[in-house]
Amino acid sequence: MATELSDVEKQSLNAHVAAVQGEEGMNDLGLRGESLHKGLKSRHIQMISIGGLEPEHSQRPVSQLPLPGGHITLAQRFVDPAFSFMMGWNYWYNWTIVLPAELNAAAVLIGYWNSSINPAVWITICGLVAVTINFGGSRVYGEMEFWFAIIKVIAIVGLIILGIILSAGGGPDHVAIGFRYWRNPGPFVQYLGMAGAKGRFLGYWAVLIQAAFSFLGTEIVALAAGETKNPKKTIPRAIKRVYIRILLFYILGTFIIGILVSSSDPRLALGTGTAASSPFVIAISNSGIKALPGIVNACLLTSAWSAASSDLYTSSRGLYALAVNGNAPKIFTRVNRWGLPYVAVITGSLFALLSYMSAGAAKASEVFNWFANMTSVCGLITWVGICFTYLRFYKGTKIQGIDRKSFVYTAPLQPYLTYYAMIFCMIILFFNGWTVFYDYNAKDFDHATFWTSYIPIIILPFTYFGYKFTRNVKFQTYQSMDYITGSRGGLVEEEGDDGPKKNFFQKVAAAVV
């Protein structure tokens, strides 16, 4: 049974880990290789966590073990190398294929102002923006995400306030909307016209996989932990402030949209392919405000830029983590003199060329949307894997007699909330393609939707068991789990944090974000 470390042992451990990190040619895993640069400051991580809210079960182990590769590396340490291999390649595919989707989204948003120019022009410009940000390294990426997130916060807070005003009749048309759309057509839409509670439930369930797409990226902070200065303070701080952000940006924002625009409004149809289908833009246009829709669209454009930049950052770090763990060619571990994994970034950038599939060919756009839909499935698979890794992490602390209160961050109601998250994600995955079986007709069976809904689920077991049997790897035993190497729990705070907040505005900003 492991016991709590004495002060002398902790000092010895600190010296040992510091020596490992300082040794030339050693990375943060304690493995021979090239290291990433810790260029992300506290304010960068706080604002990145706004852009993609972090699921708490992935943050807890990362707070204690902020390793390059985040949950991919943790899967190897607490489950087995085959599980890490499966999660890593699933994650890399997820973020590689969603990058072109975000570039297309940016092109659509620009088309709101000028639809006469070929979208390929805007795709090229937006792609160059994302690539340039990522070649600037983690510090440039963090700085740009900081300001992108500031714009997001100001925009969503402003839109929520404006939504309340418009609902109360404070717009130019002076029409009080109130809760009229909750009465007609109602808060729930009947799926395919089916009457009763069954139709309302299926209408709700049909959009769960689409809603998952909006939450993709919630684990980016975990992946960035290996490049974060002072993760002992920064990561837990980001976790503890997540709840108010969920309430403000997701729940309250969705509530406001629900009272401003009727769910039966034809302009909401996603197939229109224009930014005018945004519910906030529709509500503002309905109220008679002329210039504001364009301003809102500009804010949405910065969000698309931010998403594309994050997609490339995440896919490159995922590929780097795969290579560090021996699950991808070693060339992807190469970094330049300021710690940028340039080979992985170049590889991810090349996949941005897939975005040109939708430029001028409707059928190609449809095909590409199938790939985009698969990212939601892959994202849910990632969350299931993160939950499973945490459950093993949690049980390992029990078996080894480690007091979780000694960690830099602990969460309540564990492991029950993690079981809930994992089981619910698995249910959504299993039923996400149920629409193809509704009113089943073999002649008109929607093969495209079926395969995009289930092919990642079918392929992943082959990657896991194929790796496991060819490499003859075994599960990590609870007794052999390593909670020490790379731990920040006992280390002194690192230099480079943002420092004390000196004036009133800095203190207010720190309290909010």
Side-chain angles (χ1 to χ4, degrees):
M1 279 288 197
T3 57
E4 187 174 356
L5 297 176
S6 67
D7 292 339
V8 174
E9 288 171 322
K10 287 179 180 179
Q11 291 174 5
S12 175
L13 171 63
N14 292 345
H16 168 71
V17 176
V20 169
Q21 291 177 334
E23 184 180 345
E24 183 179 359
M26 300 294 284
N27 60 26
D28 290 334
L29 295 170
L31 302 173
R32 182 71 57 179
E34 300 179 69
S35 297
L36 299 176
H37 174 62
K38 297 182 185 301
L40 295 175
K41 298 181 179 180
S42 174
R43 61 192 177 93
H44 297 156
I45 291 297
Q46 303 304 315
M47 298 309 284
I48 289 173
S49 69
I50 289 178
L53 299 180
E54 180 75 356
E56 195 176 90
H57 43 263
S58 69
Q59 286 275 33
R60 288 185 290 273
V62 167
S63 300
Q64 185 68 16
L65 297 162
L67 304 173
H71 58 275
I72 300 171
T73 300
L74 292 172
Q76 177 157 315
R77 182 173 292 195
F78 296 105
V79 186
D80 72 351
F83 196 72
S84 177
F85 178 85
M86 180 189 72
M87 283 191 64
W89 283 110
N90 170 73
Y91 197 66
W92 176 81
Y93 164 79
N94 183 8
W95 289 102
T96 297
I97 208 67
V98 79
L99 169 60
E102 297 293 357
L103 294 177
N104 280 305
V108 168
L109 290 168
I110 297 175
Y112 178 82
W113 295 295
N114 189 338
S115 59
S116 62
I117 299 177
N118 192 305
V121 175
W122 308 126
I123 289 172
T124 301
I125 294 173
C126 296
L128 288 175
V129 170
V131 172
T132 301
I133 290 173
N134 274 269
F135 270 100
S138 60
R139 180 170 296 181
V140 173
Y141 166 76
E143 195 67 31
M144 293 303 299
E145 283 301 298
F146 176 82
W147 292 108
F148 282 146
I150 287 288
I151 295 173
K152 291 179 188 179
V153 172
I154 294 174
I156 192 63
V157 171
L159 287 171
I160 288 173
I161 294 173
L162 177 63
I164 295 172
I165 294 173
L166 294 179
S167 179
D173 59 355
H174 302 295
V175 175
I177 301 173
F179 288 87
R180 67 170 66 174
Y181 297 128
W182 281 36
R183 294 187 295 270
N184 183 26
F188 291 93
V189 176
Q190 309 295 139
Y191 183 75
L192 296 180
M194 285 190 296
K198 178 182 179 181
R200 290 191 294 272
F201 172 77
L202 292 179
Y204 161 77
W205 192 266
V207 300
L208 282 181
I209 196 68
Q210 299 174 25
F213 185 85
S214 300
F215 280 83
L216 289 179
T218 55
E219 63 291 316
I220 289 178
V221 174
L223 204 68
E227 296 179 78
T228 302
K229 294 181 177 180
N230 198 6
K232 176 180 176 181
K233 287 179 58 179
T234 301
I235 302 299
R237 186 186 302 166
I239 304 169
K240 292 175 181 177
R241 294 173 179 172
V242 146
Y243 304 105
I244 186 64
R245 295 169 189 158
I246 292 176
L247 291 172
L248 177 64
F249 299 145
Y250 284 90
I251 298 178
L252 185 56
T254 303
F255 170 76
I256 294 297
I257 288 173
I259 64 176
L260 286 180
V261 181
S262 169
S263 59
S264 61
D265 194 311
R267 290 171 293 179
L268 287 171
L270 298 178
T272 58
T274 67
S277 59
S278 164
F280 278 117
V281 172
I282 293 172
I284 293 169
S285 299
N286 289 344
S287 68
I289 302 176
K290 301 298 183 183
L292 198 53
I295 297 174
V296 172
N297 195 61
C299 294
L300 294 175
L301 179 59
T302 63
S303 181
W305 280 344
S306 170
S309 176
S310 295
D311 295 342
L312 182 53
Y313 176 88
T314 308
S315 67
S316 63
R317 270 47 175 193
L319 186 56
Y320 172 85
L322 281 166
V324 166
N325 290 320
N327 295 328
K330 191 177 180 180
I331 190 175
F332 295 116
T333 64
R334 291 185 180 180
V335 300
N336 61 16
R337 58 186 176 85
W338 64 79
L340 174 73
Y342 64 93
V343 179
V345 174
I346 291 172
T347 303
S349 301
L350 293 176
F351 283 89
L353 298 175
L354 290 173
S355 58
Y356 293 106
M357 289 173 60
S358 62
K363 189 64 176 178
S365 178
E366 180 183 352
V367 171
F368 186 81
N369 284 335
W370 298 337
F371 285 99
N373 289 339
M374 283 193 287
T375 64
S376 297
V377 177
C378 292
L380 287 170
I381 292 171
T382 294
W383 295 345
V384 170
I386 288 172
C387 289
F388 183 68
T389 301
Y390 174 72
L391 291 174
R392 301 251 321 155
F393 173 91
Y394 179 89
K395 188 171 182 179
T397 62
K398 297 289 187 183
I399 298 296
Q400 294 189 24
I402 298 174
D403 185 3
R404 292 173 58 247
K405 293 181 180 179
S406 65
F407 291 166
V408 294
Y409 175 73
T410 57
L413 300 177
Q414 293 302 326
Y416 309 108
L417 286 181
T418 302
Y419 276 116
Y420 164 77
M422 183 173 70
I423 292 171
F424 208 82
C425 284
M426 292 173 69
I427 292 173
I428 296 174
L429 280 170
F430 185 78
F431 290 104
N432 84 89
W434 68 270
T435 55
V436 301
F437 300 105
Y438 175 75
D439 196 17
Y440 176 78
N441 185 328
K443 184 178 180 180
D444 299 323
F445 186 73
D446 189 350
H447 296 277
T449 300
F450 172 80
W451 286 113
T452 55
S453 298
Y454 292 108
I455 195 169
I457 304 174
I458 296 171
I459 291 176
L460 284 177
F462 288 98
T463 64
Y464 175 77
F465 289 108
Y467 185 96
K468 193 173 186 68
F469 293 134
T470 57
R471 299 289 186 91
N472 195 28
V473 296
K474 297 181 179 180
F475 255 49
Q476 296 284 358
T477 63
Y478 293 112
Q479 291 80 4
S480 66
M481 289 180 178
D482 180 8
Y483 293 87
I484 301 299
T485 307
S487 171
R488 293 290 189 269
L491 298 178
V492 295
E493 294 181 7
E494 301 171 17
E495 295 181 0
D497 197 12
D498 293 337
K501 308 301 180 285
K502 298 178 181 179
N503 58 47
F504 173 77
F505 295 104
Q506 287 179 324
K507 293 178 180 178
V508 171
V512 174
V513 302

